Every structure is written in C-alpha cells, then in structure tokens.
Amino acid sequence: SGSSDPYCVVKVDNEVVARTATVWKSLNPFWGEEYTLLLPRGFRSLAVYDDLIGKVSLSHQQISAEPRGVDSWLSLAPVSPDQEVQGEIHLELRVPERGHPRVLRCHLIQARDLAPRDPSGTSDPFARVSCCGHTLETAVIKKTRFPHWDEVLELELPERELREAVLSVEVWDWDIVGKNDFLGRVEFPLGTLCPGPTRGWFQLLPFPSATEDHGGQLGALRLAVRLVEDTVLPPHHYQPLIQLLTEPILCPGQPPEGTALAVLEEVTSGESRQDVATKLVQIFLGQGLAVPLLDYLTTRELARTTDPNTLFRSNSLASKSMEQFMKVVGLPYLHQVLKPVLDRIFEEKKYVELDPGKMELSRGRRISFKGSLSEAQVRESSLELLKGYLGDIVDAIVGSVDECPLPMRVAFKQLRRRVEERFPLAQHEEVRYFSISGFLFLRFFAPAVLTPKLFRLREQHAEPRTGRTLLLLAK
C-alpha cells in the first residue's frame, strides 16, 4: 500500500526490554513513549529496532559521554543477522610457554543464552576454534540455547613468534539445509594471554560491522536517551535531606525565602523541572505531606503573579508538581471516568472533521446514493458526533465527584482558597475556577483524551481517523 505499520523494540545487550505501540499506516510515526530502565552497570549497548526496517544502536560509552543525554535524529542502519548475537561462552585456554610441539589447549565447556535461530525458538549450536591456519569444531548439540560441550580441542602452534597470532572461537547454529547461522564470536590475541590457564565466561560479540552508511535511505529515528548512574544508600542517610526539604511545611513560621524548597525552586531550570517535580512529589507522598507541598508551591507562585490570566500557565515547579501529583494519585480515577467513552470511540472509528481544508468528502459518515457527501453534511455529522462524545465525557466527569480521590479534592480546595485570598475583587471571581480547571482539564483530562496510550488507557496508539477525533475532542 506504500505505507507501513511501524513499532519499536528496545533491546539492552540484545535482550528485549520494551516494545512500543504500533502506529498504523504511517511512514512518519510518532510514539512519544518513555521508558525508565534499571540497567546493570556493565551493560554494553542499547538498540532500538524500527519494526524490521532498521535499527539505531548506541554503546554504553556513547550514552555516558553525553551527561545531558542524547537527543537527536539518528539514521537507521540495516538489521544484519551477523550483528544480532547474544549470550556467553565458558572457556579454559592454556598456551605452553615452551615445548615442542607447542600445543594450544582450548577447553570448550558450555554456552548460555544464545540467540534463537530456528523456528522452534532454539538453535543447534556448535563451536569452531581457529588459530594460525588450523580449525577444529565441537559436536553439534541439538535444539538448545544452553549447550554443554565439555570438549578439549588442541591446536599445534608454529615455531615462529606468536605475539601477533589470534585465537578465534566462534559459535554457529547448524542447519541441515542451507548455510549455518552465526551466533557470536570471541577473540584472544595469544600475546595477551597469561602463563597458565585462562578460564571464565566471555561475552559473544558480532562480526566487525561492515555496514556502509545508507545516507538515511532507511529513514531516521528521533531518540532521547539519558543515562543516570546513581549510588543508592540506605534510607537513614537521606533523613537530613528530607528534614531540610519538609522543614518549611512542618515549621511554617520561618522566613520563606531562606528555605531549601525556595532555593531549590529558584535554581531549577526549565529543562530539569519535570525531574525535580517528580522527585519532590515522590518524597512528600512518602512523608504524607504531598498536599501541603502543593499548597506551599502554589502559594509562592500566586504571590509572584500580578495578572490572573497568566496564573499557572507556565511550566513552573508548582505546575509540574501538581501535574505529577494528579498522575500518581488520580490515574485509577482517570481510567474509571474516561475509559468507557474512549473505548467506544476506538471501536466505532467514526469519521469526524471540521476543517474544510482537511475534509475527505468521499469518506464521510455515510455515502448517499447521489455520491460523496457535501462539505456541509460532513460538518453537520461531525458536529453531531463530537457533541455526543463530548457530552458523554463531561457527564462522566461531572458525575464522578464522589470517586475523585480525596487528596486531589483537598488540594484543589486549598488552591481555590489561596486564589480567593490573592484575587479577592469581584471582577476576579472566575479566577478561582480557572485555576482549578487549568490543572484538572488542561493537564489531566485533555491530555488523556488526546493520547490515551500514554496514560495506559489503551494498549495501542489511535489510527489516524480516531486520532483526529481525539484531537478535536481535546481541543
């Protein structure tokens, strides 16, 4: 059809750790999905596969070299089976210092977690040892990704200097028909091996990449990756910090400008406010002080606001903290209110469009016997559908007062009281409501209607027609 249904698979050291939703019928997909992964310190690479179209691979060194993270368009490279290896091999090597003839003993013990190459989800692995023009192979172990060979292969070494010689150990999947499939390799320069036995588990590596630059012909992937390496201490080490942060909440009498929270608010830049807000809400929820924290932050922002029309419109620490608080506390409530209506919209797949420049008149809600619908007919049917959906959403929200989590209700009650104190004049009477609706609708319900997948309301992103309906409803 000239289109695709792309999704991404995320791998760490060739182990699948995440999979995005599928974006249907698109060559320019948008996912907007974020994953937080707890990684082993010794991980080697992170790869993102765009369906089987291509992949982007970043090494540990590439990611850690950018403290602020990698955030750019990266060209997709072809997916080569010779590069898609995983697993480890257990070896013992012994190279004699002298003797005639000199014999290299390679004890191939076992391998684990090899890549599956057969339709059964397993492989038929054997190992191949090569050095100085000599090659030997182990037996084939059928239908396993964890072969146990326990074989000793001996290679006679030449008399010449061996510093430049390299021992290569490769693992292959044996196929009765066609060529064998590569499973990984490891190399040992003989000059670097210590006298006596060298034994251990060694990571299997791909063949050196010979992939040429395709100049973006396979497309590009916009990726933002940031590596944070933290040392986490036992909880009691953090008590002084927690006491410092909660002090202005528990002891409100001190001058507000000198508190740790006030200083933190002043020095937090725009790009890090989301992270700081997330951590603050988590800390104060753990202390049972999340609502007083929001009251403290919103009160400080109110004190700085002179025009009520701009209240909480910026991505300040107060706004980001309230947004994070609603996501943590209110997600079950959000599902209860919106999911039935959103599920119906996804199932019905109705055509909705109000913009004349985007109307496809032949794809209206129904086709008349006279041919395509007119622009007015499409607009009329679209308005009818939108009013129906929107009415159901508003009714669900208004009828959910008793289900709204108590901490959210208390937080908004305090917010309304603070706004009334800051803007007491009659001409500002509606500000008390706008301040709450700005959070509850613009930062809670509307984003969930626009992108249900990001709020776990749906397993997949909406296909284009339904996505357009959701966009118009959110607006």
Side-chain angles (χ1 to χ4, degrees):
S1 63
S3 187
S4 189
D5 302 321
Y7 62 90
C8 284
V9 172
V10 183
K11 290 185 178 182
V12 174
D13 292 342
N14 287 304
E15 179 184 354
V16 176
V17 294
R19 183 195 188 281
T20 70
T22 300
V23 178
W24 304 103
K25 295 180 174 56
S26 176
L27 294 177
N28 299 284
F30 169 79
W31 288 285
E33 298 188 29
E34 181 175 311
Y35 301 97
T36 300
L37 308 171
L38 187 60
L39 303 178
R41 286 193 177 272
F43 86 96
R44 291 170 301 284
S45 67
L46 174 94
V48 182
Y49 292 72
D50 187 5
D51 199 3
L52 289 172
I53 301 168
K55 71 172 184 178
V56 167
S57 185
L58 295 170
S59 69
H60 187 164
Q61 290 76 14
Q62 287 175 294
I63 302 172
S64 57
E66 300 289 342
R68 291 177 174 267
V70 177
D71 187 353
S72 63
W73 284 99
L74 302 171
S75 294
L76 291 167
V79 178
S80 167
D82 288 346
Q83 299 293 311
E84 307 308 307
V85 305
Q86 65 183 61
E88 298 173 299
I89 188 168
H90 192 193
L91 302 171
E92 182 181 277
L93 307 176
R94 190 184 294 268
V95 182
E97 291 187 65
R98 58 182 63 85
H100 182 75
R102 294 181 67 185
V103 176
L104 166 64
R105 296 181 78 254
C106 182
H107 184 188
L108 295 110
I109 304 168
Q110 59 184 320
R112 61 189 179 193
D113 196 29
L114 300 178
R117 289 286 188 262
D118 296 338
S120 62
T122 62
S123 291
D124 303 319
F126 68 92
R128 178 182 294 158
V129 178
S130 303
C131 187
C132 301
H134 301 288
T135 299
L136 294 174
E137 295 180 353
T138 67
V140 176
I141 309 295
K142 297 289 188 69
K143 299 187 183 310
T144 181
R145 294 172 52 227
F146 296 82
H148 192 279
W149 294 291
D150 196 19
E151 289 190 39
V152 176
L153 302 181
E154 296 185 342
L155 298 172
E156 187 173 326
L157 301 177
E159 294 297 328
R160 58 182 170 82
E161 183 64 50
L162 296 177
R163 286 184 181 177
E164 303 300 322
V166 174
L167 168 69
S168 173
V169 180
E170 299 173 357
V171 182
W172 292 80
D173 167 50
W174 176 82
D175 284 330
I176 192 170
V177 178
K179 66 176 185 176
N180 299 327
D181 299 313
F182 178 69
L183 292 175
R185 69 200 291 252
V186 60
E187 290 187 339
F188 301 90
L190 296 188
T192 63
L193 294 178
C194 300
T198 298
R199 183 183 177 115
W201 285 95
F202 300 94
Q203 185 72 31
L204 292 170
L205 300 174
F207 277 123
S209 176
T211 304
E212 74 263 23
D213 184 5
H214 282 241
Q217 295 176 7
L218 297 177
L221 184 68
R222 178 70 184 272
L223 196 63
V225 181
R226 185 158 63 98
L227 180 64
V228 179
E229 297 185 285
D230 288 331
T231 300
V232 181
L233 304 174
H236 68 271
H237 288 278
Y238 299 99
Q239 283 308 308
L241 174 62
I242 291 174
Q243 290 173 6
L244 197 62
L245 291 173
T246 57
E247 190 176 17
I249 308 297
L250 298 175
C251 307
Q254 59 182 310
E257 297 307 320
T259 65
L261 274 179
V263 173
L264 185 63
E265 187 178 20
E266 292 298 325
V267 301
T268 301
S269 60
E271 60 188 22
S272 62
R273 278 195 192 112
Q274 182 65 61
D275 283 343
V276 173
T278 300
K279 299 296 188 297
L280 278 179
V281 169
Q282 289 172 341
I283 290 171
F284 278 78
L285 278 172
Q287 301 297 311
L289 297 171
V291 173
L293 168 71
L294 297 175
D295 185 41
Y296 176 87
L297 293 175
T298 54
T299 300
R300 284 179 54 81
E301 183 156 338
L302 278 164
R304 295 192 295 265
T305 304
T306 56
D307 182 358
N309 294 315
T310 64
L311 189 58
F312 303 124
R313 293 289 178 173
S314 65
N315 287 322
S316 63
L317 191 59
S319 297
K320 286 294 184 182
S321 297
M322 181 70 83
E323 190 176 323
Q324 181 64 25
F325 169 77
M326 290 189 297
K327 283 183 179 179
V328 173
V329 173
L331 197 61
Y333 166 63
L334 187 73
H335 281 229
Q336 182 180 353
V337 174
L338 292 183
K339 199 171 191 315
V341 184
L342 291 177
D343 284 347
R344 183 157 60 86
I345 294 171
F346 272 77
E347 291 162 7
E348 292 179 351
K349 295 184 173 65
K350 300 286 188 180
Y351 181 73
V352 174
E353 186 53 73
L354 299 179
D355 185 346
K358 295 183 178 180
M359 283 185 184
E360 300 176 35
L361 300 181
S362 63
R363 297 179 61 188
R365 188 164 65 99
R366 61 187 182 276
I367 304 298
S368 69
F369 291 110
K370 298 180 181 179
S372 300
L373 295 175
S374 68
E375 182 181 301
Q377 288 173 310
V378 172
R379 182 178 175 83
E380 181 183 350
S381 66
S382 297
L383 277 173
E384 180 184 337
L385 284 166
L386 283 175
K387 286 179 182 177
Y389 290 144
L390 191 57
D392 291 342
I393 290 173
V394 172
D395 288 344
I397 294 172
V398 173
S400 69
V401 173
D402 292 336
E403 286 74 39
C404 184
L406 183 60
M408 283 179 60
R409 292 155 70 180
V410 174
F412 287 133
K413 181 179 180 180
Q414 288 185 341
L415 177 61
R416 171 178 167 165
R417 185 172 71 250
R418 298 298 188 190
V419 172
E420 288 174 344
E421 292 171 356
R422 178 67 179 86
F423 298 103
L425 299 179
Q427 67 192 70
H428 296 147
E429 183 179 2
E430 291 186 341
V431 177
R432 69 189 72 170
Y433 303 113
F434 290 154
S435 62
I436 296 173
S437 66
F439 286 119
L440 195 59
F441 287 92
L442 296 184
R443 295 177 184 262
F444 189 60
F445 286 119
V449 170
L450 180 62
T451 51
K453 171 69 172 65
L454 302 188
F455 289 81
R456 302 200 291 275
L457 285 158
R458 297 287 299 184
E459 289 297 320
Q460 303 287 350
H461 283 297
E463 44 82 29
R465 177 184 290 196
T466 303
R468 179 64 179 166
T469 301
L470 297 178
L471 175 61
L472 292 172
L473 280 172
K475 285 185 175 183

